[in-house]
Amino acid sequence: VAYTTGRAKRGEITVNTSSRYFGHLHDLTAHSPDDPREIRRRHIEHWLGRACLDGHQPSPHYQRARLSTARTFFAWCIAHDHIDRDPTAGIDLGRMPRLRPRSLNSQEAVAVMAATVDDRSRLMALLMLQNGLRRAEVAAIRVEDIDLHKRTLDVRGKGGRGEVTRTTYLVDEVNTEMSRYLPSVASSSGSLFRSRRTNQGLHPATVWVSPPARNVRPRSSALSPYTTASCRNASASGPPTPVSASFTAN
């Protein structure tokens, strides 16, 4: 806890990253000695291998992320004189396969739009499909970031720590949907998308996941193309296609 919360307070990692690190380390401590000085390489290897039990096969990227979390934690322990050697030293997960980003074709994009249920979810989906925004970037949009006259949106992107990192142009479809949604936002500043329960800005994990995602893809299908990442990647596969208009025409 001291390691993850301390790094978050110093601004070295985000709160979300801190939570993910804590989850990895909590899982590690459940399968290794309580005293970090007694943890050995065999414990780390057992922990990594445990994820492969019961027929589950974690992705190489997930395993590498877990090992990276452990390595940075034990480096911190060494720096603070809690341990004198790194139990992750020498562990090699091998070369990672190059993954090909998944994206949606035009028919799948139409299916996504057909699954949206209101102006808010339609706008979220379009921002990912047409402008290539990540869901964290969608959650970070503020009303003052939008200029309907210039048809631009300031994006608070990855690595910007809440600051604007780029400006994107709003195509006709997105601009129209944005114009329709904005009057429903009570404030002239602050988060564009707010929780209906708390009226606070949305957490990235809650952006456009329910109910549209349930309507489009089975929750149990790990290979389903319908993810927020694949929606974002669709914008990079070619020029914007008016997916809402396509759905209406069909």
Side-chain angles (χ1 to χ4, degrees):
V1 175
Y3 167 71
T4 55
T5 57
R7 292 193 63 185
K9 287 181 180 178
R10 292 190 297 271
E12 298 174 359
I13 56 177
T14 65
V15 174
N16 291 338
T17 301
S18 172
S19 177
R20 184 171 67 252
Y21 285 0
F22 179 82
H24 290 167
L25 295 173
H26 183 268
D27 187 51
L28 171 61
T29 56
H31 300 87
S32 59
D34 293 334
D35 189 343
R37 292 171 296 184
E38 298 179 4
I39 298 178
R40 298 293 182 264
R41 175 173 171 170
R42 67 178 184 274
H43 298 120
I44 305 297
E45 291 176 335
H46 172 73
W47 170 60
L48 293 171
R50 190 191 65 82
C52 300
L53 300 178
D54 301 324
H56 299 293
Q57 184 61 46
S59 72
H61 288 77
Y62 176 68
Q63 289 289 66
R64 188 172 293 272
R66 297 171 79 218
L67 179 58
S68 176
T69 299
R71 279 183 169 149
T72 55
F73 169 68
F74 287 116
W76 177 84
C77 287
I78 291 174
H80 289 78
D81 297 323
H82 297 308
I83 59 175
D84 56 10
R85 59 180 174 177
D86 181 3
T88 67
I91 297 179
D92 184 8
L93 296 180
R95 190 182 184 92
M96 282 183 36
R98 184 179 294 274
L99 298 182
R100 188 176 177 184
R102 291 181 292 181
S103 64
L104 305 183
N105 58 38
S106 59
Q107 290 78 18
E108 290 168 338
V110 169
V112 165
M113 294 307 300
T116 59
V117 295
D118 54 23
D119 290 344
R120 184 172 80 158
S121 59
R122 277 193 295 274
L123 181 56
M124 288 180 183
L126 282 173
L127 286 167
M128 290 183 279
L129 286 167
Q130 301 286 43
N131 287 87
L133 268 64
R134 300 175 174 87
R135 63 179 181 176
E137 293 170 343
V138 172
I141 296 175
R142 302 179 65 82
V143 176
E144 55 266 34
D145 296 335
I146 305 160
D147 190 326
L148 292 178
H149 178 68
K150 294 181 179 179
R151 301 180 62 164
T152 60
L153 170 66
D154 291 334
V155 180
R156 301 172 188 274
K158 187 175 181 180
R161 298 188 181 279
E163 299 298 322
V164 174
T165 58
R166 70 183 188 276
T167 299
T168 184
Y169 180 77
L170 301 177
V171 298
D172 288 345
E173 189 175 19
V174 182
N175 197 59
T176 299
E177 199 64 50
M178 185 74 78
S179 300
R180 181 181 295 120
Y181 176 73
L182 267 178
S184 68
V185 180
S187 175
S188 60
S189 63
S191 298
L192 176 66
F193 300 111
R194 298 170 181 265
S195 167
R196 294 188 176 96
R197 182 173 58 86
T198 66
N199 200 37
Q200 300 297 313
L202 292 181
H203 186 281
T206 65
V207 169
W208 189 74
V209 294
S210 176
R214 288 203 300 266
N215 296 339
V216 173
R217 62 180 172 86
R219 292 177 65 87
S220 60
S221 176
L223 300 179
S224 170
Y226 298 103
T227 65
T228 54
S230 65
C231 288
R232 172 179 176 266
N233 292 334
S235 70
S237 61
T241 301
V243 289
S244 292
S246 300
F247 171 67
T248 303
N250 291 337

